[in-house]
Amino acid sequence: REMTILGIIAFGLFILEEAAKDAKGDWYYTFKVVHWALFTIAVFYVGLNVLLYVMSKKFGKKWDEYERKDLIDHTKIIDRSRQLRDKLNIKPLEQHSFFGTFWLRGFVRNPCAFLEYQRCVEALSFHEIRRDFLRSHHLPHEFSFTAYLESCLQHVCLEFSEVRDSVWIAGVLIVII
């Protein structure tokens, strides 16, 4: 929809530009600038949508990998995260603090261990959220939480990439003024 609207606006500007070509005044150059601005906006919009698509696929693969891990792997991940937490000297309450310095100290001390610890915490968080979701909605253990998350992510990405009508109206008013 957004690309169609940009195309219609660009075509309208092209027609006005051709009509103003004979006038050779400020209008001609104004149309050129607006035309190039619309082209730049369209390129950024397409780039943003490609980036959203690539990121959503990356998240989907990661979630699928987490969901495939069974209970034995889950226990191994818990043990490994405890080992890494002890190695990095991270206190239990400190690991949940967003503004704490544990992540900086951990990364500086041992970057590989810290990144592995972050992946363990991510996997454990995924399993905890999945377990709580299945319990609260009374769903079977076989329910594909990853498919549900991917569906939610798709709706969020579509909502994020959609340009609101108020933005289009504001843009037209700015161009007119």
Side-chain angles (χ1 to χ4, degrees), residues 99-116:
F99 296 106
T101 58
F102 88 92
W103 60 271
L104 183 59
R105 284 184 287 127
F107 187 76
V108 169
R109 282 186 192 145
N110 191 337
C112 294
F114 180 75
L115 292 175
E116 184 182 355

Side-chain angles (χ1 to χ4, degrees), residues 5-163:
I5 292 172
L6 275 175
I8 291 170
I9 292 171
F11 182 68
L13 281 173
F14 175 74
I15 291 173
L16 291 173
E17 182 182 329
E18 289 300 315
K21 205 181 238 185
D22 295 335
K24 291 283 186 195
D26 291 336
W27 285 104
Y28 179 73
Y29 296 108
T30 302
F31 284 128
K32 282 284 188 197
V33 168
V34 171
H35 204 170
W36 277 105
L38 284 173
F39 175 74
T40 305
I41 290 170
V43 168
F44 280 121
Y45 179 75
V46 169
L48 174 68
N49 284 327
V50 167
L51 179 67
L52 282 173
Y53 176 78
V54 168
M55 287 177 58
S56 68
K57 288 298 178 186
K58 182 179 176 184
F59 286 136
K61 286 180 183 177
K62 189 181 289 190
W63 293 334
D64 192 41
E65 175 188 327
Y66 291 155
E67 193 165 34
R68 279 187 274 124
K69 293 190 184 296
D70 60 1
L71 191 58
I72 296 170
D73 286 342
H74 187 70
T75 307
K76 288 178 185 177
I77 292 171
I78 291 172
D79 293 340
R80 183 63 181 151
S81 69
R82 286 181 184 150
Q83 291 170 357
L84 290 167
R85 187 177 65 204
D86 293 341
K87 181 178 183 178
L88 294 168
N89 195 23
I90 297 173
K91 297 172 186 68
L93 292 177
E94 197 177 35
Q95 69 187 1
H96 298 294
S97 171
F98 178 74
F99 296 106
T101 58
F102 88 92
W103 60 271
L104 183 59
R105 284 184 287 127
F107 187 76
V108 169
R109 282 186 192 145
N110 191 337
C112 294
F114 180 75
L115 292 175
E116 184 182 355
Y117 173 74
Q118 288 294 81
R119 283 192 296 272
C120 288
V121 169
E122 214 174 84
L124 292 173
S125 298
F126 177 86
H127 281 286
E128 288 173 9
I129 292 169
R130 180 181 185 274
R131 183 195 64 220
D132 292 344
F133 182 82
L134 295 179
R135 281 184 187 166
S136 66
H137 295 287
H138 309 290
L139 296 169
H141 185 71
E142 298 80 32
F143 177 78
S144 177
F145 189 57
T146 299
Y148 172 75
L149 286 178
E150 286 176 343
S151 174
C152 292
L153 182 62
Q154 182 182 18
H155 288 291
V156 168
C157 288
L158 286 174
E159 189 71 27
F160 182 70
S161 66
E162 183 178 330
V163 180

